[in-house]
């Protein structure tokens, strides 16, 4: 809708320029807003004020020039008024909204689609939890946000790919292998003291038992250096399989699973180091190899190879992100835990060192999650036996509620997740409140079908019987959905969708409590059913972006 208004303003500006009334040496960025007070009109723009300096005119005088040249060829304009220091407040006739609403409903599943992304190749990397244990609820929030963001960006016209980076190199993997081997020996009666710094979860014992079931005591007398690599590989595969299973149940899939080990197997890490060395961006000091990241706004230089010769995680990340860019991606988005805030400047530094614009790289920090039960914090201690895994939470509250609660707040804000509220079938539970609206609309359509009332499926519908302010409020809110998708995509803010749906559904519940949809007035009934069809489509498309189901019966 706002694009149509922007075109109207642009045409008025061009006319004013052609007549010499405005110079327009600088073409302004026309911002169209929706006034909070509907009495101020349907749309507003401050373009006259933004032009005041370059035109050397009073904003009100510029606003009057624009107003005089606004052409209403389509006959959809009601009024244009000048307010305050030079705002243009624009009010449209009902036909402007109703004609566009008919078209929106006809788009069905495509409603909300945008081409703002222009096919730009984007890679989102998220979750990427070390394959050393099951996913916890922090990973779950990252999974929900990453998956929803991918869905939104695809809806907005980006060429989007998703990736999970498997950190299968380094000391933590060796400790995993050794932990599994020691539990194996323990289960066979040959265990000794188990180190405090090893992985102690029950899942380690379960993996060790699978080795016993398949290989018996084959490894009981073999030396550690022969056993640990085998147990590391078994544990990694078992844990990754569990991670994939948990994510699949959570409706999260990835286009690619990228192994850190492959960077070494393909000599990409060594290649990246040599490239940086040739360009003079790394140096040797105190037996270690350093990146001159401070030359690119990082607060200090970073070690990429330790004195021991062991390469750091950052060293692998350099090669990994160079690989991403070489695969043709124009925008790299990483979702990481809030404790990774120091990672941002060092990655921006290395990308600049490699000759890339740091703006191609964006890290979204996912804040921590606290579990509540009836308003009281749930202990996250492993020893307490309370919830800590994503699987536990999903099993208790369901996929829909878990995804909604992870997505209903900005990912930059700490999240309190109340397990009891998420299970309630009451209006206080937002996911139930929205799903119930969809089910109620579906029930109304079943009732109409039972009464033999035909509903329009080809867009040939008379919506003139819709005259209530509440009806137009719903229509306008539905028509704003594509803009919400675009803004969510450009700001990388998935919570905008949940806020929008909650507002839309609250308007519906209020409207439905005061107005009958099916009545003896067939024309009014059909118009209101068309309105509800638009509602149903928008709820479904919005929840599809969030990865949440829309049941037809509840």
């Amino acid at each position: 809708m706002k694009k149509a208004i922007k075109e109207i303003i642009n045409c008025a500006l061009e006319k004013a320029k052609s007549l010499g009334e405005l110079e327009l040496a600088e073409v302004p960025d026309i911002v169209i807003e929706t006034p909070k007070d509907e009495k101020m009109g349907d749309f507003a723009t401050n373009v006259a004020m933004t032009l005041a300096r370059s035109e050397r005119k009073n904003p009100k005088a510029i606003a009057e020039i624009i107003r005089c040249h606004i052409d209403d060829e389509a006959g959809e304009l009601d009024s244009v008024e000048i307010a305050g220091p030079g705002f243009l407040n624009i009010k449209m006739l009902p036909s402007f909204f109703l004609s566009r609403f008919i078209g929106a409903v006809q788009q069905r599943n495509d409603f909300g689609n945008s081409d703002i992304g222009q096919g730009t190749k984007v890679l989102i990397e998220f979750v990427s939890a070390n394959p050393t244990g099951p996913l916890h609820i922090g990973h779950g929030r990252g999974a929900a946000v990453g998956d929803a963001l991918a869905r939104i960006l695809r809806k907005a016209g980006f060429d989007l790919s998703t990736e999970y980076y498997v950190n299968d190199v380094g000391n933590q993997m060796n400790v995993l292998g050794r932990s599994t081997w020691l539990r194996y020996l323990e289960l066979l009666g040959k265990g000794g003291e188990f180190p405090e710094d090893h992985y102690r979860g029950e899942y380690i014992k379960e993996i060790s038992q699978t080795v016993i079931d398949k290989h018996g005591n084959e490894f009981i007398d073999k030396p550690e250096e022969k056993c640990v690599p085998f147990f590391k590989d078994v544990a990694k595969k078992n844990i990754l399989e569990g991670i994939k299973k948990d994510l699949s149940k959570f409706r999260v899939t990835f286009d690619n699973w990228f192994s850190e080990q492959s960077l070494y197997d393909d000599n990409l890490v060594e290649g990246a180091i040599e490239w940086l060395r040739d360009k003079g961006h790394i140096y040797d000091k105190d037996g270690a190899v350093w990146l001159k990241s401070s030359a690119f706004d990082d607060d200090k230089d970073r070690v990429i190879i330790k004195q021991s010769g062991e390469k750091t995680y950052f060293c692998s990340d350099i090669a990994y992100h160079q690989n991403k860019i070489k695969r043709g991606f124009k925008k790299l988005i990483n979702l990481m835990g809030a404790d990774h805030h120091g990672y941002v400047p060092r990655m921006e530094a290395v990308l600049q060192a490699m000759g890339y614009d740091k703006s191609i790289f964006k890290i979204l920090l996912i804040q921590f999650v606290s579990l509540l039960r009836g308003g009281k914090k749930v202990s996250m201690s492993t020893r307490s036996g309370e919830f800590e895994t994503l699987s536990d939470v999903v099993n208790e509250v369901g996929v829909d509620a878990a995804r909604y609660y992870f997505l209903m707040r900005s990912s930059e804000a700490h999240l309190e997740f109340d397990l009891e509220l998420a299970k309630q079938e009451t209006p206080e539970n937002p996911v139930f409140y929205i799903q119930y609206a969809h089910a109620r609309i579906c029930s109304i359509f079943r009732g109409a079908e039972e009464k033999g009332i035909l509903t329009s499926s080809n867009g040939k519908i008379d919506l003139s019987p819709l005259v209530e302010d509440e009806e137009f409020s719903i229509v306008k809110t539905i028509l704003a959905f594509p803009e919400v998708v675009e803004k969510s995509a450009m700001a990388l803010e998935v919570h905008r969708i949940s806020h929008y749906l909650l507002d839309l559904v609250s308007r519906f519940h209020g409207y439905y409590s005061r107005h009958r949809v099916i009545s003896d007035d067939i024309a009014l009934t059909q118009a209101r059913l068309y309105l509800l069809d638009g509602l149903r489509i928008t709820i479904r498309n919005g929840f599809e972006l969030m990865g949440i189901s829309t049941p037809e019966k509840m």
Side-chain angles (χ1 to χ4, degrees):
M1 294 189 297
K2 290 181 179 178
K3 289 180 181 178
I5 305 303
K6 188 178 287 190
E7 289 172 7
I8 290 173
I9 300 298
N10 258 324
C11 289
L13 289 172
E14 288 298 323
K15 288 180 183 177
K17 182 179 181 179
S18 67
L19 293 171
E21 296 174 345
L22 293 175
E23 294 179 11
L24 292 182
E26 298 177 10
V27 179
D29 180 24
I30 300 172
V31 178
I32 307 296
E33 299 290 346
T34 302
K36 292 181 179 179
D37 185 354
E38 293 185 0
K39 294 178 182 177
M40 302 300 290
D42 299 309
F43 305 100
T45 179
N46 66 345
V47 64
M49 289 178 281
T50 63
L51 284 170
R53 176 174 291 182
S54 61
E55 294 292 332
R56 301 178 299 281
K57 285 184 170 64
N58 184 290
K60 282 191 173 182
I62 297 173
E64 181 60 34
I65 291 170
I66 296 171
R67 190 185 70 81
C68 288
H69 290 299
I70 288 178
D71 194 352
D72 183 25
E73 291 182 7
E76 296 178 321
L77 187 66
D78 188 341
S79 63
V80 181
E81 296 180 354
I82 299 169
F87 285 100
L88 282 165
N89 290 341
I90 302 165
K91 187 172 181 60
M92 308 303 291
L93 292 171
S95 58
F96 174 84
F97 298 101
L98 294 180
S99 62
R100 284 161 177 77
F101 181 70
I102 290 172
V105 174
Q106 289 305 296
Q107 291 178 53
R108 314 304 292 181
N109 293 345
D110 291 335
F111 178 53
N113 286 6
S114 166
D115 61 0
I116 195 170
Q118 299 181 332
T120 303
K121 284 193 70 173
V122 179
L123 180 65
I124 300 183
E125 180 215 325
F126 60 104
V127 184
S128 296
N130 292 342
T132 54
L135 299 176
H136 56 63
I137 60 166
H139 297 135
R141 189 182 193 190
V145 172
D147 183 64
L149 183 58
R151 293 167 185 250
I152 291 167
L153 289 170
R154 287 191 182 104
K155 189 86 171 168
F158 289 87
D159 181 1
L160 199 286
S161 295
T162 58
E163 190 157 279
Y164 188 116
Y165 181 56
V166 182
N167 296 107
D168 51 3
V169 173
N171 187 58
Q172 94 279 359
M173 296 304 296
N174 294 326
V175 173
L176 174 67
R178 193 166 190 273
S179 302
T180 312
W181 172 63
L182 290 174
R183 289 302 191 200
Y184 166 86
L185 294 177
E186 184 182 280
L187 289 170
L188 291 175
K190 289 197 66 173
E193 186 176 347
F194 196 87
E196 282 289 333
D197 62 350
H198 280 38
Y199 296 102
R200 308 174 68 84
E202 282 298 312
Y203 65 93
I204 297 293
K205 289 184 180 179
E206 293 170 4
I207 296 170
S208 300
Q209 185 61 53
T210 65
V211 177
I212 293 172
D213 294 343
K214 188 172 183 179
H215 296 276
N217 63 358
E218 178 182 337
F219 300 94
I220 200 165
D221 294 320
K222 288 186 177 181
E224 178 176 332
E225 61 269 19
K226 296 284 187 181
C227 295
V228 169
F230 171 81
F231 280 85
K232 177 176 72 173
D233 187 59
V234 169
K236 182 189 82 169
K237 289 178 179 177
N238 186 289
I239 291 169
L240 267 180
E241 185 179 328
I243 288 173
K244 289 180 180 181
K245 183 178 179 182
D246 286 347
L247 288 172
S248 178
K249 184 177 179 180
F250 199 48
R251 302 182 192 135
V252 176
T253 58
F254 288 89
D255 297 316
N256 191 35
W257 293 72
F258 193 104
S259 165
E260 181 182 359
Q261 182 63 50
S262 72
L263 294 170
Y264 288 89
D265 294 342
D266 297 336
N267 294 317
L268 298 180
V269 176
E270 288 296 335
I273 293 171
E274 288 307 310
W275 191 93
L276 287 168
R277 190 181 289 280
D278 289 344
K279 297 293 183 181
H281 295 309
I282 60 178
Y283 61 92
D284 300 308
K285 179 184 175 184
D286 300 330
V289 179
W290 299 70
L291 175 74
K292 295 179 182 177
S293 50
S294 61
F296 299 95
D297 299 326
D298 195 4
D299 58 352
K300 62 182 179 181
D301 292 346
R302 305 288 177 174
V303 174
I304 58 175
I305 303 178
K306 300 177 183 178
Q307 291 175 330
S308 63
E310 180 187 356
K311 295 179 176 66
T312 63
Y313 288 124
F314 181 46
C315 188
S316 298
D317 286 341
I318 292 171
Y320 178 41
H321 285 82
Q322 186 180 50
N323 172 266
K324 288 181 179 181
I325 296 170
K326 286 184 176 180
R327 280 187 273 157
F329 293 105
K330 304 301 182 184
K331 185 80 174 178
L332 310 179
I333 302 172
N334 290 12
L335 274 64
M336 309 184 83
D339 54 341
H340 287 76
H341 58 87
Y343 186 84
V344 180
R346 72 185 71 170
M347 275 312 304
E348 289 181 343
V350 78
L351 287 171
Q352 289 180 86
M354 288 181 167
Y356 303 117
D357 187 337
K358 68 178 182 180
S359 66
I360 70 170
F361 179 67
K362 175 69 177 178
I363 286 186
L364 295 183
L365 296 176
I366 310 299
Q367 284 292 340
F368 301 105
V369 181
S370 296
L371 284 180
L372 306 179
R373 190 180 295 283
K376 295 182 178 179
K377 189 167 286 191
V378 174
S379 170
M380 294 294 286
S381 168
T382 306
R383 293 184 179 86
S384 72
E386 294 282 5
F387 291 105
E388 65 168 359
T389 68
L390 171 62
S391 178
D392 286 332
V393 173
V394 170
N395 287 338
E396 178 168 4
V397 305
V399 176
D400 288 338
R403 287 189 67 116
Y404 188 92
Y405 277 77
F406 284 140
L407 296 171
M408 70 180 185
R409 299 276 184 270
S410 166
S411 58
E412 297 178 349
H414 182 87
L415 175 67
E416 291 189 335
F417 188 149
D418 195 314
L419 296 162
E420 293 302 321
L421 179 59
K423 292 187 289 185
Q424 290 179 14
E425 295 185 352
T426 65
E428 287 70 37
N429 180 5
V431 66
F432 173 82
Y433 188 64
I434 297 170
Q435 286 181 323
Y436 184 68
H438 183 270
R440 173 176 270 179
I441 292 169
C442 291
S443 175
I444 293 169
F445 273 89
R446 287 193 295 271
E449 188 176 345
E450 290 170 4
K451 294 178 182 294
I453 298 172
L454 298 177
T455 55
S456 173
S457 60
N458 58 10
K460 294 181 179 179
I461 181 74
D462 178 16
L463 295 184
S464 61
L466 300 179
V467 295
E468 301 289 344
D469 289 342
E470 290 167 290
E471 290 166 338
F472 273 89
S473 175
I474 291 172
V475 166
K476 292 175 185 178
T477 305
I478 289 172
L479 289 175
F481 179 59
E483 183 186 357
V484 173
V485 173
E486 286 190 358
K487 286 186 174 181
S488 298
M490 300 311 292
L492 306 180
E493 293 180 345
V494 299
H495 65 281
R496 290 174 181 250
I497 304 296
S498 64
H499 290 184
Y500 166 81
L501 290 176
L502 200 57
D503 174 58
L504 175 63
V505 163
S506 67
R507 294 172 190 268
F508 161 71
H509 282 302
Y511 169 74
Y512 184 73
S513 68
R514 289 182 286 273
H515 301 281
R516 291 180 60 194
V517 175
I518 299 176
S519 67
D520 293 334
D521 187 333
I522 298 300
L524 178 61
T525 296
Q526 289 180 329
R528 286 181 170 174
L529 284 171
Y530 202 86
L531 174 66
L532 264 57
D533 196 19
L535 260 167
R536 179 169 58 174
I537 290 166
T538 308
I539 294 170
R540 185 177 64 231
N541 291 2
F543 259 180
E544 175 64 27
L545 295 178
M546 297 177 71
I548 297 174
S549 69
T550 43
E552 296 187 2
K553 294 181 179 180
M554 292 181 72

